[in-house]
Amino acid sequence: MVITKRVTATIAKKHKSFQKDLVMLVVKKITDIIPHKFLDIKSDVLNSVKFADSKFNIPGKIDLLLGAELFYELLRPEQILVPDPNLLLQNTVFGFVVSGKVKQPMINHIHCGMIREDLNEASKEFMEEYERLGYRKEVIEEKVPDAIYYAIHHGV
């Protein structure tokens, strides 16, 4: 993926008690939907806290991924452990965020939340970049009508 656009934006808490100007990179897609499927979580603790995202248990797009340079600025001291279903609620300037492992029925495939692109297009872009950097050269022989490519001594 080649990133060609960036924007300057301000993230802020509703009443401006926290505000930060950031330079953000613009990409088509950050990750797959998260969570993978609706999480039916029942706990009295969950009803008594203010969440940064009140719909954290409903599958949806990720609109913004904040980097490590801002991470610790967002954290607040309070943590709450929810034993069943083994969740950790971490307080932030925006409200509580949820992490942990939830029980889900076993599935016969693995879900990896990575960006999915057209493999042919991604491969083509990679090889064009590889050639542009001089790691791949076209070999032309008079006896062979088509161009042949080879990789220089190191692995791809």
Side-chain angles (χ1 to χ4, degrees):
M1 170 189 330
V2 178
I3 300 171
T4 59
K5 296 177 184 170
R6 65 182 184 171
V7 303
T8 301
T10 302
I11 62 167
K13 194 170 176 177
K14 193 173 189 177
H15 301 293
K16 307 282 189 211
S17 60
F18 176 85
Q19 185 171 320
K20 188 78 170 181
D21 294 329
L22 299 172
V23 174
M24 299 180 189
L25 304 177
V26 178
V27 296
K28 289 180 185 177
K29 185 176 182 182
I30 296 172
T31 184
D32 212 347
I33 60 168
I34 294 179
H36 176 61
K37 60 194 247 180
F38 177 80
L39 302 176
D40 187 17
I41 301 170
K42 294 175 177 71
S43 172
D44 293 337
V45 175
L46 298 180
N47 296 327
S48 63
V49 297
K50 179 188 173 293
F51 289 100
D53 177 2
S54 61
K55 297 179 182 177
F56 72 90
N57 61 328
I58 301 170
K61 289 182 3 179
I62 301 301
D63 298 316
L64 177 67
L65 181 62
L66 297 173
E69 70 276 4
L70 184 63
F71 177 75
Y72 291 101
E73 246 183 279
L74 300 177
L75 296 179
R76 293 297 175 256
E78 189 178 4
Q79 290 183 338
I80 302 170
L81 180 62
V82 181
D84 187 29
N86 198 24
L87 299 177
L88 177 68
L89 310 182
Q90 171 66 57
N91 199 7
T92 72
V93 297
F94 300 113
F96 281 87
V97 293
V98 181
S99 68
K101 187 174 182 179
V102 294
K103 294 177 186 175
Q104 293 190 23
M106 291 297 292
I107 51 176
N108 61 359
H109 66 279
I110 296 173
H111 172 75
C112 181
M114 295 179 63
I115 298 172
R116 289 189 234 165
E117 296 177 348
D118 176 32
L119 187 55
N120 289 330
E121 184 62 30
S123 176
K124 180 181 171 192
E125 288 175 11
F126 171 78
M127 293 310 286
E128 286 170 354
E129 179 74 4
Y130 205 64
E131 188 172 3
R132 185 185 67 75
L133 293 171
Y135 295 124
R136 183 178 104 145
K137 296 180 181 174
E138 184 177 359
V139 177
I140 301 174
E141 295 181 23
E142 292 180 14
K143 297 178 184 175
V144 181
D146 299 323
I148 298 173
Y149 291 93
Y150 70 94
I152 298 179
H153 68 281
H154 60 311
V156 178

